[in-house]
Amino acid sequence: MSWRIRTAALAVLGSVLLGISLSSAAFDIESMPNPEMQKRYDALVHELRCMQCQNQSIADSPVGLAEDLRRDVREQIIAGKTDAEIRESMVARYGNVILFRPPFKPSTAWVWIAPFLLLLVGVLVAVRIVRQRASMVAGDESVVETDEPAR
Amino acid sequence: MSRFLIPAAIFLALAGVLYVGVVHSPNKSTMQSALLGKTVPDFSLPVLDNPGMNLTNTQLAGRPWVLNVWGTWCAACRDEHPVLLDIAKQNVLPLVGLDWKDEDDAALEWLKQLGNPYSVVVADRDGRTAINFGVYGAPETFFIDADGRVQYRHVGAMTAEVWQREFLSRLPRGGLP
């Protein structure tokens, strides 16, 4: 019985996710003159933040400003600007905030390093716990078999 | 006791990091302009009530001026309009209006009904100039010095206090040349 419920739940979840992914693709309608430019355009509009609705990229946002910024990206690509130049021109007008991926600079280094430090801490803690348990099993099996503290 | 020491330390460190993050997170209403200290972007835009004529940034050089970004579709612009009218009465700084992505007729009607605080209004119909100014929502108001550099940007409705504190205070002492 429970597998049926689980399958039904998965089906509902799947259709919801599909709906979300379809709706998020709806605004990105600009087409570029050739596939190579299209690829760069698609990548760039997904890494620039919509400044009016800060947790969406300009590719995912229907607001007018995002539309204007997509037009700006499109025009700069056609004008022969490199991806780096386009990013730079966006930062010059809107600041670093507009990039979803912050640049690696002394002031932003911790943003990049902190997750790896935390991962390292997590691994060390996990190793310690595993070793402790292993030594408990090796030392005295009764400790594992009963939860009662020794008196 | 000591087995709680390390988790507690980690918890406190995380709480500290998150606290700093929340306190310093970019506030939408106070985000600094990326243009501060830089020269205004070049523009040449049609004058709203005289579309045959264009206004350029070089024509405004030589004395400080204020750029106010607005539109008839913007509710907060209606809120700040009486303040702009008061500012215009002081007659100390020219107010240049940037009518952002708007219908010319609607904008002219707005100025006729509510009064016109601007020395001149230019029509940025497709929003290209606003992008170059790093505008992300109306109203926004910029203080531009005599050398054509952006000195301050206020996001949101103008108030008498902001005008006094951030705009009038940036005027050179002894008034204008």
Side-chain angles (χ1 to χ4, degrees):
Chain A
M1 194 58 203
S2 76
W3 69 269
R4 276 199 191 173
I5 297 169
R6 222 178 293 156
T7 327
L10 276 177
V12 169
L13 182 68
S15 52
V16 168
L17 287 177
L18 185 68
I20 291 170
S21 63
L22 285 179
S23 66
S24 75
F27 309 109
D28 201 7
I29 43 165
E30 297 262 21
S31 67
M32 298 296 290
N34 65 53
E36 191 251 341
M37 283 184 174
Q38 184 71 46
K39 216 174 133 190
R40 289 177 54 209
Y41 172 83
D42 289 341
L44 277 168
V45 293
H46 278 98
E47 64 179 72
L48 294 170
R49 189 189 301 275
C50 166
M51 300 298 289
Q52 261 164 1
C53 33
Q54 290 181 9
N55 291 321
Q56 279 183 310
S57 72
I58 61 169
D60 295 328
S61 172
V63 303
L65 179 63
E67 194 184 317
D68 292 353
L69 288 174
R70 289 199 298 268
R71 177 189 63 201
D72 193 87
V73 170
R74 179 189 155 84
E75 287 172 355
Q76 290 201 54
I77 290 176
I78 292 173
K81 297 281 173 63
T82 66
D83 288 1
E85 283 170 335
I86 295 171
R87 272 185 218 110
E88 231 165 78
S89 83
M90 289 293 173
V91 169
R93 292 176 286 183
Y94 285 97
N96 278 329
V97 195
I98 201 167
L99 302 176
F100 273 121
R101 260 181 294 165
F104 193 89
K105 298 189 300 189
S107 64
T108 59
W110 68 274
V111 171
W112 291 96
I113 295 168
F116 297 105
L117 278 181
L118 285 175
L119 181 68
L120 189 70
V121 170
V123 168
L124 289 178
V125 168
V127 165
R128 230 188 92 175
I129 289 172
V130 168
R131 280 205 184 144
Q132 247 171 17
R133 299 221 170 141
S135 70
M136 273 159 76
V137 175
D140 184 358
E141 277 190 25
S142 68
V143 177
V144 181
E145 277 166 8
T146 77
D147 278 346
E148 295 289 308
R151 277 166 210 258
Chain B
M1 186 60 205
S2 72
R3 61 184 296 225
F4 294 114
L5 217 61
I6 290 171
I10 292 173
F11 170 78
L12 282 178
L14 254 181
V17 167
L18 293 178
Y19 177 78
V20 170
V22 166
V23 168
H24 292 281
S25 73
N27 185 335
K28 269 187 103 168
S29 59
T30 58
M31 224 192 287
Q32 268 200 350
S33 167
L35 264 65
L36 289 189
K38 292 192 208 157
T39 318
V40 290
D42 288 329
F43 64 84
S44 173
L45 291 169
V47 174
L48 181 68
D49 56 7
N50 187 0
M53 221 177 78
N54 269 33
L55 180 78
T56 67
N57 53 304
T58 48
Q59 283 171 288
L60 293 162
R63 62 175 295 187
W65 54 285
V66 170
L67 182 79
N68 176 251
V69 182
W70 65 287
T72 58
W73 45 266
C74 147
C77 298
R78 192 173 281 271
D79 296 340
E80 75 167 0
H81 204 78
V83 179
L84 296 183
L85 288 169
D86 284 344
I87 286 170
K89 270 192 225 131
Q90 298 172 0
N91 205 18
V92 285
L93 272 166
L95 268 184
V96 177
L98 185 87
D99 186 25
W100 185 26
K101 299 195 78 172
D102 207 356
E103 302 287 334
D104 287 7
D105 291 343
L108 287 166
E109 187 58 31
W110 163 291
L111 294 175
K112 211 170 95 188
Q113 278 185 7
L114 301 176
N116 185 352
Y118 302 107
S119 309
V120 58
V121 178
V122 289
D124 185 19
R125 297 180 190 121
D126 54 14
R128 284 170 205 271
T129 300
I131 286 186
N132 289 339
F133 270 90
V135 169
Y136 61 91
E140 283 187 20
T141 311
F142 294 77
F143 179 89
I144 293 131
D145 68 14
D147 299 324
R149 280 192 298 261
V150 176
Q151 294 294 348
Y152 187 75
R153 186 257 302 261
H154 175 68
V155 177
M158 178 58 70
T159 65
E161 295 78 58
V162 171
W163 178 252
Q164 183 70 42
R165 192 179 66 230
E166 305 290 357
F167 287 77
L168 289 184
S169 66
R170 286 186 158 78
L171 281 175
R173 269 173 199 283
L176 294 168

